[in-house]
Amino acid sequence: MLVGGTSIAQLIGILASPALSRLYTPEQFGVLGSLIAVTGIISLVGSLKYEMAIVLENNDKDVEALQFLSHIVLVVVTIISGLAIIASPYWLWELEGKIEVIQLLPWAIVIIFFSGLYNALYSRYNREKSYGEMAQVQILKRVSHVSVQLLIGVISGSTLGLVFGNVFGVLIPVLFIFFRKRSFFNYKKIEFERVRKVAKRYIKFPIYTAPQSLLNLISGQLPVFVLGYFFTMSVVGAYFFAIKIVQLPAMLIGSSVRRVFFKEVAEIVEDVPAIDKLYTKGVYSVLD
């Protein structure tokens, strides 16, 4: 089900690629790629990976506390990141140009926050095994993303069209989940002592998993920064556009199998032979 939803979402992106490549210049994709490289790194560790613990936890009250904790940490990380970005613009100016940076800085902060929020809520869906709704959210995310980029591209062709596509690509799914699953946002009965306990219980996620993920993300985005420093934005744009297409197969199968595998392993964590069998099954699923 997840692979089907991801396939439709990726197909929408593929079909839109020829139009987008004609509506926007390589330089504009370079500006977007540089922005996404920064926001992608921060947003994926914005909750210090506490959102991963949501999938592992069996107690509903503790799940609510973990999600609340993830959101609080995300707010703090977003504020710190926003202040850091605004306070040190000179490096960004050399990378993207003054006009683009002045326009995009506020939207970078918005993307960081809503992307982190989306990741936490998506983990909540995964914990509930709501794979059908996860597939719907994936499709909605891609449709929102592409539609805004195409619309603004036709109207003005401004770089902001590419950025707004990414903004609405995370904003619309979050709003969809909010109205679809109001229970996910019921924080009135949150016990702060419980929040403190789950933060301590899963402290290994921010200590070990978050730094590891951060290093992996930085290494993955390093070509964007290197190309942006030594070459023009058109080179960055060509690389960014090409790598999105190249990574489609991994996104199509690997991400879906990984999420289901993570949830299934969490339920049989003490049964090592069963985990080995499940892992083998997951590998064959990807290879097939």
Side-chain angles (χ1 to χ4, degrees):
M1 191 174 294
L2 276 180
V3 170
T6 306
S7 300
I8 296 173
Q10 298 296 349
L11 179 61
I12 294 171
I14 293 173
L15 294 176
S17 294
L20 290 173
S21 64
R22 286 160 177 77
L23 291 172
Y24 299 99
T25 65
E27 289 81 3
Q28 290 175 314
F29 277 107
V31 172
L32 175 68
S34 301
L35 178 71
I36 296 303
V38 175
T39 58
I41 291 172
I42 299 174
S43 62
L44 285 176
V45 294
S47 298
L48 298 182
K49 307 310 285 186
Y50 270 121
E51 76 277 4
M52 293 183 67
I54 293 174
V55 183
L56 304 178
E57 184 56 57
N58 294 320
N59 186 288
D60 291 340
K61 292 292 184 181
D62 287 346
V63 167
E64 293 176 358
L66 275 169
Q67 185 175 308
F68 179 78
L69 174 64
S70 299
H71 292 170
I72 293 299
V73 173
L74 175 62
V75 170
V76 174
V77 171
T78 302
I79 293 174
I80 294 174
S81 302
L83 292 175
I85 291 173
I86 295 173
S88 55
Y90 297 105
W91 172 77
L92 290 173
W93 285 356
E94 289 185 5
L95 182 65
E96 298 176 326
K98 293 183 179 181
I99 297 177
E100 287 82 3
V101 171
I102 293 173
Q103 291 175 331
L104 299 180
L105 276 177
W107 299 111
I109 300 170
V110 174
I111 293 173
I112 289 171
F113 176 73
F114 281 102
S115 294
L117 196 62
Y118 171 83
N119 293 332
L121 294 172
Y122 204 71
S123 292
R124 183 71 180 272
Y125 265 137
N126 197 17
R127 188 253 179 185
E128 307 294 340
K129 291 188 176 182
S130 300
Y131 299 129
E133 295 190 32
M134 289 171 70
Q136 292 176 21
V137 170
Q138 284 270 35
I139 296 172
L140 179 62
K141 181 181 180 182
R142 179 61 65 176
V143 169
S144 304
H145 184 162
V146 171
S147 298
V148 172
Q149 288 184 336
L150 289 174
L151 179 62
I152 298 181
V154 171
I155 295 175
S156 66
S158 169
T159 308
L160 287 175
L162 292 173
V163 178
F164 284 168
N166 284 271
V167 171
F168 282 91
V170 287
L171 175 61
I172 297 300
V174 168
L175 293 177
F176 172 82
I177 297 173
F178 175 77
F179 289 110
R180 187 74 174 268
K181 292 285 188 179
R182 290 291 185 91
S183 59
F184 283 7
F185 298 86
N186 185 19
Y187 295 143
K188 293 181 179 179
K189 298 181 179 180
I190 289 293
E191 303 171 10
F192 287 95
E193 180 61 23
R194 186 182 293 273
V195 174
R196 186 189 68 81
K197 288 182 178 179
V198 296
K200 184 178 180 180
R201 186 189 311 160
Y202 295 103
I203 191 63
K204 289 185 178 180
F205 281 99
I207 292 178
Y208 299 112
T209 307
Q212 178 186 2
S213 299
L214 184 62
L215 289 174
N216 289 336
L217 290 166
I218 291 175
S219 64
Q221 299 296 341
L222 192 59
V224 173
F225 298 121
V226 173
L227 291 174
Y229 183 82
F230 288 103
F231 300 96
T232 63
M233 281 295 100
S234 61
V235 175
V236 178
Y239 171 81
F240 176 72
F241 196 83
I243 202 67
K244 286 175 60 180
I245 305 299
V246 172
Q247 290 176 342
L248 283 180
M251 293 294 294
L252 182 62
I253 304 295
S255 61
S256 300
V257 173
R258 183 173 67 248
R259 290 188 179 277
V260 177
F261 176 77
F262 185 36
K263 174 56 183 173
E264 294 297 324
V265 167
E267 296 181 350
I268 56 173
V269 67
E270 302 295 336
D271 190 347
V272 176
I275 293 177
D276 290 339
K277 183 178 180 180
L278 185 65
Y279 175 77
T280 304
K281 181 180 179 181
V283 170
Y284 281 127
S285 297
V286 174
L287 293 178
D288 289 342

